[in-house]
Amino acid sequence: QDLLLYKEEGFSKVQGTVELAQAVLANTAPSGHDAINQILGRLQEEWSALASKMVETKAILDDSIHRWAGFLEQIHQLNKTVDYLESVSNEISDFQTTMSEKRAQLERIKCLDEKVRCEKIEVGQS
């Protein structure tokens, strides 16, 4: 953000330099005018190129920040899913003694297995 403020300040300084150069041109022999004008033109072109790069860089940085925020949200969701699956797994992992308890446990394990298969776990580019 600060660089963009400097961009405006830089444009002002370049414009001020151009205005000061007018006074210099008034006191310079005509043979020296071309060299001064060329230098001023290069200064303006270089500053414009630098200012364009600053705007482009800011856009890239803003996009990167947005992507990282998306990644962090995806990681948060993934952690919640892993915590849930771990808690359910811990609940159903105790050995059961009777056949009916074992069948119920098997059904819960199958249900958890199906949830895991259906869960779309993906952290990638947004």
Side-chain angles (χ1 to χ4, degrees), residues 47-93:
W47 183 256
S48 290
L50 179 61
S52 294
K53 272 295 189 195
M54 286 191 289
V55 170
E56 180 183 328
T57 301
K58 183 189 180 312
I60 291 169
L61 286 173
D62 288 345
D63 182 56
S64 296
I65 289 168
H66 177 73
R67 285 180 185 225
W68 274 108
F71 288 147
L72 290 175
E73 179 58 30
Q74 289 176 338
I75 289 169
H76 177 70
Q77 290 299 325
L78 179 62
N79 285 336
K80 283 174 60 176
T81 301
V82 168
D83 289 344
Y84 166 75
L85 293 174
E86 284 178 343
S87 71
V88 172
S89 175
N90 289 337
E91 288 174 12
I92 61 175
S93 63

Side-chain angles (χ1 to χ4, degrees), residues 17 32-46:
T17 302
H33 287 200
D34 194 38
I36 292 172
N37 286 329
Q38 286 179 1
I39 290 170
L40 286 174
R42 271 200 315 270
L43 175 65
Q44 288 174 316
E45 288 171 8
E46 289 173 2

